[in-house]
Amino acid sequence: MEIDSWYQRYGESVHRRCLRLCRNEQQALDLVQDVFLRAHRFRDTFRGEASPLTWLFTLATNCFFDTLKQPLHIDAAEVEALLCQERDGFEESFASHDLIVRLLSRSDEEVRMIVMHRYFDELELETIAERLGRSERTVRRKLLRFLEGARKLAEAQR
Amino acid sequence: MKSRIPRRFEPLSDFEIEAYLCGELDAAASGDVEHQAALNAGLRAYIDERQRARAAFAARHPLRIEPLPPRKRARNLALAFPLLAAAVVLVAVVPWQPTADPLQPGAADAVRVKGTPGLAIQLAVKRGDAVWQHREAIPLREGDQLMLALNSGAGYVSLLGRDAAGRITTYYDALRTEGGRFVAPGSLTLDAQAGDELWLVVVSSQPIAAAVYAASWNRGAPIEAAHTFIRIRKDAP
């Protein structure tokens, strides 16, 4: 792996992902550097089972949440407003909301991957299950639990 | 919960579009994306905008990590030790200016790039308190610090080095120059590895990655931009 050529090819896509996580341009640029530094350090662990883009996005997610010293603040009213939307429209609003990242700061790594694949990558449950080596049923269950956890968090803070 | 969530650009997922932009899709899948883009003006505009952003990103925000640590011949102090590098730059620049601004048109040791009027490239060497313009006749040593300066129009400059074993290292990757006097940030310190090194300075009007030039150089293909070679001779340690 030549990290320079990877940076040329994937840098902007990783930056876009980082920006969506950070919602701050400078932090996103710093995070991009962290991602490629980590990719460079651990290049021997990349065996090509996933595409480079998938691997770099995973690194971006891990780098971002690793830098958090504590879970991000969540406003109960925000969660409630989103979760109370019409069932069919809920996920669309949720996907574009930064609340998703704040909720993920309280989740384990596998849930993060599932949620990111669904709301950031817009993948089908079946594809997510295939990528993570889990059944579709398990992925669905974990996703529902994540959403339920968000709802309970909102209720607890009320 | 539905199996799929609504997508911004139906029927493509965000990941498929990213993979397409990164050139990860095979011909059939890329064709699907192109087909969808032909049907959807919003998607077409989005892809065009992203492709423009992709072309400029690496040049605008160069990778700050050292490219290939195990192979490196020189070390960019600005990257590894910012404070030390700042001190070195100050020490190097102050005595340098009174003797000769390397970018003045009359500077004797500037390398004029053939076919590119007005483009002059210089390399300054600092060893202890002494500072001079690089000349091939004066061999360099481990610990010598080199600073690249040039006088050019607005564009991008890359610096690559090829060691005696043929390994190519990128020292500066498409740094943006505003036109006129430009001094590359930091300095490069020669390490103890024996053997001469050939440096390639490339100046282009477009933000072309150094990796492109490295690939051309590696296979002996022409460098498609204004460029010059500087031989770095080293005394045996």
Side-chain angles (χ1 to χ4, degrees), chain B residues 98-158:
Chain B
T99 52
D101 183 332
L103 303 169
Q104 289 301 312
D109 299 302
V111 177
R112 307 284 165 184
V113 179
K114 193 178 172 185
T116 315
L119 174 58
I121 295 168
Q122 276 205 317
L123 201 58
V125 183
K126 182 174 186 299
R127 180 184 299 163
D129 293 333
V131 180
W132 69 91
Q133 309 304 331
H134 172 261
R135 293 176 196 168
E136 198 178 323
I138 305 174
L140 303 178
R141 298 177 194 158
E142 176 190 359
D144 284 348
Q145 292 157 356
L146 288 93
M147 289 179 67
L148 177 71
L150 60 128
N151 196 22
S152 70
Y156 300 85
V157 60
S158 293

